[in-house]
Structure formats: structure tokens, C-alpha cells
Amino acid sequence: MADSGETRIAPGREDNRRADNRREDNRWPQGTTVALGTIGAVGMVLITVSGVAVGPTGPTNSSVERGVLSIIPKGTAATVLGVVTLTAGLALVLGAWLVLGLLLRRGATLRPLNRIACVWATPLLLGPPIFSRDLYSYAADGLMVHRHISPYEYGPAALGASRFLAPVSHAWLTTPSPYGPLFLRLAHGAVRLSGGSVVSAIMILRLFEIAGVVLIAVSLPTLARAVGKDPARPVWLGVCNPLVLFHFIGGGHNDALMIGLIVAGLAVGTAGGRPMLGVLLCMLAATIKVPAVLPAAFIIVEAVRRQPAERRLPVFARLAGFGALAFGLVAWACNLGWGWIGALGIPGTNRTLLTPTTFVAQSIAAVVGHDTQVLNLVRTAAAVTTVVGVVYLLWRAPKIGTVRACGFALALVVALGPIVLPWYALWGLIVLAAVGRRIERGFAIFASVVLSIVVQPSGSSMPDVVLMAAVVTLTVVAIAIAWKPVRAWIRRDLTVAIEEYRRRGRIAQSADVLRLALPYASSSPARMNRQSQPPAA
């Protein structure tokens, strides 16, 4: 049987792991949870204030909103307040998160991390939607279902005069919904339970996304332990991550529920040895957003690979047929028709320079012209590359590791897709948080910091120059670490230099680290091998 690239922990190590957890509790600095939780929470409050000060918050006609708006300054004062509070809030939150990650080197259990995540999420949960107004669109879609208006044929503007319509972003007013039938039924349920209140509807919708984050928090440690990794780091990167909290709690995006079901499906389908349940969870996620079909394919491939040759075809047919049947039954039970299939391309009608394909197409079109034709050509080439890449990852999954290959596939689908938004990057990032190698997690940390500053709390994007700088920076770094000599330098030389200064108990100066590491960067592999060999006796 081929090597899966995943080292599984024997059940007999459970007692040792619990003993290690008790020792890690003792090593965790006293007061750290309170201090970092407070700093991050203050930052989240400041970011929420920034969103209220400079962004549209309704009107939802709620008493809370009227009270808040009455004390928020207007005009230039509001702009200054928004910029100052956003800058201070981002510095506090990102700083607290990075310090928390450094403290994990001392060892930590999941309990303090989960507590810190809850404290940081609370201001976002209690505040208005920030970084996006999609929650209002979800509520409007739910009201359309309640009034028997097809969200797949009409935009929320079909509601006419409605309090649910006023907060919806203008970009979505006449745009049909691209979301799966299960999510629209959940939105419908939220509207019914709200009693006609916009605020109540969006708070109920947030509960669904909180459920998705909880699934992530529960499932990531299982995936990490299955491949012999510390479960605390995936929770820090995949749950405590400010990018996750900003967009899954503050923005309330349904990607949270989709990713939660995906990670849970991968956990039970690969680490738990129950592929049928894993496929079912991924297919439920696909009725929220269709890309969730992809992880189901990796679960099926993993299950088939583990079977003897004569049983592989029957197992494949059973799992694939079960997944297709489950997807079809859920879509049929939602009773919203199949119009969502034709609406899948709607997000691609938006253009943002944060999308690599749009960035490349506009750069080419600036020279040759023909904007639309160039964009279509670039997107077609990206789609073909995506299909080829996903097929390759399915084929190489036994060597790469099934869950890790799935994380790469999700990242590829996002990076080469027709539209890239910061919360889309979390599809692959959260999966790789559990099983990715050190250098991959390092890139995920870097990407999280960069993507946390490309969208304003008001929901507006940063200026184009910021978006272009983000795309170029992330692309260059990704290509660099994918290049074998750079990966070898990071693993062998730069890491050794940093560890040496940590061992001495003082913070390394950047010049000293580079002076120690760079002489080896240009060394040939043969020279590095010779230097690593002990001298002859």
C-alpha cells in the first residue's frame, strides 16, 4: 500500500497525551489568558467602532442603532475617528494574536485558546455586521423565500418597500443569490424566527456561522492528532486567527458553516475512518456553497485507496452514489428548484484587483486593450489550470497526505478563481492549519496578516494600490517558498539562526540573523552536505 504521508498516533498514547496536557497547563504563564484576551477584546471593540463611524450601519430602525448613531460624530471627525480606531484596533488584535502564537512554544492546552477566541469574538458578535454587508443580503434572501419569490431569479429589490431592503449593499440589490438551497432555507428560518426584525434576523444568522466556527474548533485538533501534530497550533491559526473572527463572526459569512462542515467531514472521514459520514457532511456543505464537493472527492479517494484492488470499484461506486444521492435529496427537500446552478457564476461578475486573474488580465489589457476578451481568456486559462491541478492533487494525495492535498486544492480553487475575497482564503488556510508543514503554516500566518488589512470595517476595499501590493507580495512569497532552494534555506539556515538566538535567551537582531543565515543561501547542495558531515577521524 502506498505511503499516505500521514503519521497516525497509536491509541495507546492517549494517556501520555493527557499527562503532557497537564504539564502544559502548568507551564502556561499565569494571567496570560486574561491579558491577551483583554488586549484583543479592546482591539475588537475599536475595530467595531471604526466600522460604525465610517460605514453604513442600516438603518435597521432598532433602538440600539439609533442610540449608537446619536453619539457617533459626523463628517471629518467621523473619518478621523474611524482611521484612528481601526489602526489601533488592528495593532492590538494582530499583536496579541502573534504574541499568543509565540507563547505556544512553551506548550498549551486547547482550553486557554478557546477562551481567548470567545473573548475576542464577543465584541464582534454583539456589534453590527462589519467588513461586509452580506448578512443583510442573507436576511433579504430569507424574506424572499418567505414571500415565495425565487432568490435565484430576482435580487432583493423584488421585495419592494421593506425594512430588510434598506441595509442591503447596492451590488446585491438586483443580483440573484448564488448560495445553495440549504442555506436559503436556513435564512428563511432565521427570518421567520425574527418576527420581522432585521436585527434579530442577522443575529440568528450569526448563530449558524458560530456553529461553523465551533465545528472548526472541535475538528481541527482531531485532524492534527491524526498526523502527529500539536493540536494547539491549528486552533490558534484556524480559530483564534483575527482573519477568521473578522469575517466569520463580524461579517457573518456563510463560508464559516461551509468550512465547519468540511473540516468535520474530513475529520470523521479520514482520521475517524467513517468515509460515508464524512461524504455526507461535505455534501451538506455543498448545499451551502458548491465548492464543498471537492473535499468529498478526497475522502472518497482515501477510502478507495485503503481497499484491496478487487473492492475499490464497488467502494467508489457506493460512496460516490451515496454522496450524489444525499446532495440531490437535500436540494429536493429544500423545494427551491434548481435555479442555483445557473447562479453559480454570479460572484465572478464582480471585479476586484485582489483577484489574481483580474490583476493579470487588467495588466495585459493595459498594453493590448480588449479588456473583456483578455479577462475571459485569462479566466479560462486559470480554470483549466485549476482542473489539472486538482486532478494532480487527487492522484498524488497518497504521497502528499489526503487532508493536506485537499487543503492545497481548496487554495488553488480560490487563488485561480474568478473572484477572491479575504474570507475565501480561509478555505484552504483552515484545512492546512491542521496538517500543513511548518513553512506552509508560516505562509498562512503571513497571508492572514496581509489579508486582515485589505478590507475596511465599513465593507469597502482599500485603495487599488493596496490591493495590488497585497497580490504581488503574496504571489511572490508563495512562489519563493515553493522553490526548492528557498525552502531548503528556510529550513536549514534561517531556522538555525533564529533558534540559536532563542537558545541564548535574547531577541536576535535582524542583521545578526541575516549575517548568520545568508552565507549559506548561495551554497550549493553539495557544499551544504559536506558542511553537515562530521570530520573524518
Side-chain angles (χ1 to χ4, degrees), residues 378-401:
V378 171
R379 284 182 173 178
T380 301
V384 172
T385 304
T386 300
V387 172
V388 173
V390 169
V391 171
Y392 172 80
L393 289 168
L394 284 167
W395 174 52
R396 297 289 290 174
K399 181 67 175 178
I400 300 172

Side-chain angles (χ1 to χ4, degrees), residues 315-391:
V315 170
F316 173 80
R318 185 174 76 250
L319 290 176
F322 171 76
L325 179 63
F327 184 88
L329 285 176
V330 172
W332 172 79
C334 290
N335 195 29
L336 292 175
W338 300 91
W340 54 271
I341 297 177
L344 292 177
I346 287 176
T349 58
N350 296 323
R351 299 184 184 182
T352 169
L353 288 177
L354 192 61
T355 306
T357 52
T358 302
F359 179 86
V360 171
Q362 290 198 11
S363 300
I364 296 174
V367 178
V368 303
H370 306 286
D371 294 13
T372 303
Q373 293 85 345
V374 170
L375 179 62
N376 292 336
L377 182 62
V378 171
R379 284 182 173 178
T380 301
V384 172
T385 304
T386 300
V387 172
V388 173
V390 169
V391 171

Side-chain angles (χ1 to χ4, degrees), residues 180-181 258 261 281-293 327 340:
M258 179 193 74
L261 289 170
L281 290 173
C282 289
M283 286 303 176
L284 286 175
T287 58
I288 297 172
K289 282 192 168 183
V290 173
V293 170
F327 184 88
W340 54 271

Side-chain angles (χ1 to χ4, degrees), residues 9 37-38 86 118 149 152-153 167 172 174 197 204 213 244 279-280 282 299 319 465 486 522 529 535:
I9 296 178
T38 301
L86 174 60
C118 291
I149 303 172
Y152 298 131
E153 296 180 10
W172 287 106
T174 58
S197 167
I204 295 171
V213 175
V244 173
V279 170
L280 176 61
C282 289
I299 294 174
L319 290 176
V465 64
V486 175
S522 59
N529 290 336

